[in-house]
Amino acid sequence: MKKLGISLLAACAVAITLAAWVWHLNLRDEPDLSMPSAAVPASPELLARGAYLALAGNCASCHTTRGGVPYAGGRGIETPFGTVFTSNLTPDVKTGIGAWTPAEFWRAMHNGRARDGRLLYPAFPYTSYTEISRADADALYAYLHNLPATEQPATPHTVRFPYNQQPALAVWRALYFTPGAPPADADRSAEWNRGAYLVRGLGHCGACHTARNALGATDDRLNLAGGMIPMQNWYAPSLTSPHEAGVAGWPREDIVRLLQTGVAPGGSVLGPMAEVVLKSTQHLNEGDLGAMATYLKALPQSDEAPVSAAVDSRVAARGSRLYEQHCAQCHGEQGQGVPGAYPPLAGNRAVTMPKVANLVQAVLNGGYAPATAGNPRPYGMPPFVLVLNDADVAAVLTHVRNSWGNQAGGVAEVEVNRLRAGQGR
């Protein structure tokens, strides 16, 4: 009995210690809200800066429903744990952020905590926004507070138990979240640091381009090394691999052009990245796009090359016939494409990446570059979801990945079936 009591005391002590540790980690770098916030005059310059920062952060994309009032929230963000609905960022006092102080807004951006102290779901990318400066947070606050107030009550989240519990969020944060600061590498140029600020912080590129673990946390050791976008079944390719989306060998102006127009000599954007270019990066100035290019060019590159595999001759023959019937008229008999219209498939690293999700998505659902100021009438690819069955899609993509000098593995019919059913991995 005595030993049992000692064991229970020891277990309690461990539990209390762990709870204290979680509590401590969740209160790191919290602003003192008891101190009055100094009002920042909403000058035209500050409002313009806030509007620009909102574009750089692509805030409206998530905080606006289709056809809804900009920034009024309500868009559902699907996650493996349930759906998180975005909040109203207009200055409505009852349902928006009209009653928030600049310090409370800063705490949400920097620490992921709501005005009432609740921990926010990391579907709101405060894990990236924590690197935003206080001055930029204040500019965003000023801009949002000068929008027309819209009364739109919050839609309740539908996150499953136990992920919808605040203690569970606290443990997650203790394990995976550390408050950050704007990049300030003295050994790097001011342009590199600005690029790091935009890519890692405000642009939150790692939210898509970094793999996530089973609990939805990104792995800093694989920062920007590629990852499947949860619930969307698109793959955000690695920015650290020359065989995927690494741009270390690209001319700086081509990177700027891709972010500004959606197309460049070395590639084009489709899927979720098309929305990013459409609603965010095309609106950035040349200096910031150049800074992002400088940072991306300096990322360490992996030298791991794609692995090819033998292809069944019958599948290859079937794919060749389907390509001639459905694809050659645009992409060319030799996969050469048409400059300025249809991308080449020969020598295209987007075709030979180990992950085939994007290829399958483009064939099934079509591929559309964004309509930007620099490319207002982009050519698109029609969907074949009702034309080709799973075996057809697998065969034609296997043909494309192994023709005209391309050397990559085949595409399995089961993989196409999984992605068609919305069960990508």
Side-chain angles (χ1 to χ4, degrees), residues 268 299-300 412:
S268 58
L299 288 173

Side-chain angles (χ1 to χ4, degrees), residues 10-221:
C12 289
V14 169
I16 292 171
T17 300
L18 289 174
W21 172 72
V22 169
W23 178 265
H24 165 72
L25 293 180
N26 273 273
L27 293 178
R28 286 175 296 177
D29 207 21
E30 286 268 331
D32 185 357
L33 300 182
S34 66
M35 299 293 290
S37 298
V40 179
S43 65
E45 294 77 16
L46 185 68
L47 296 179
R49 179 182 174 189
Y52 179 81
L53 294 169
L55 288 170
N58 201 16
C59 305
S61 184
C62 285
H63 287 272
T64 307
T65 58
R66 180 174 294 182
V69 177
Y71 297 101
R75 178 175 175 176
I77 307 298
E78 293 186 17
T79 79
F81 315 102
T83 302
V84 176
F85 291 88
T86 57
S87 56
N88 184 346
L89 297 182
T90 74
D92 182 68
V93 174
K94 291 193 298 183
T95 66
I97 61 170
W100 289 49
T101 66
E104 289 166 343
F105 183 80
W106 162 247
R107 184 173 72 167
M109 298 286 288
H110 185 67
N111 299 83
R113 195 182 289 271
R115 181 174 185 249
D116 61 5
R118 288 180 301 106
L119 303 178
L120 299 174
Y121 290 108
F124 169 60
Y126 62 84
T127 51
S128 297
Y129 289 162
T130 188
E131 294 193 9
I132 294 175
S133 69
R134 175 63 191 268
D136 278 354
D138 286 347
L140 274 168
Y141 171 88
Y143 167 68
L144 294 172
H145 264 245
N146 276 268
L147 294 173
T150 300
E151 184 174 349
Q152 181 163 303
T155 303
H157 306 308
T158 56
V159 178
R160 299 189 306 277
F161 180 86
Y163 310 109
N164 60 350
Q165 301 298 301
Q166 287 284 295
L169 269 175
V171 172
W172 187 94
R173 287 162 53 95
L175 292 172
Y176 302 118
F177 172 62
T178 302
D185 190 334
D187 295 328
R188 299 281 192 169
S189 67
E191 186 177 53
W192 182 94
N193 278 285
R194 177 62 177 173
Y197 180 76
L198 292 166
V199 170
R200 287 167 22 190
L202 200 56
H204 59 286
C205 303
C208 289
H209 286 276
T210 303
R212 295 180 180 272
N213 63 21
L215 292 177
T218 54
D219 188 342
D220 290 340
R221 296 169 300 177

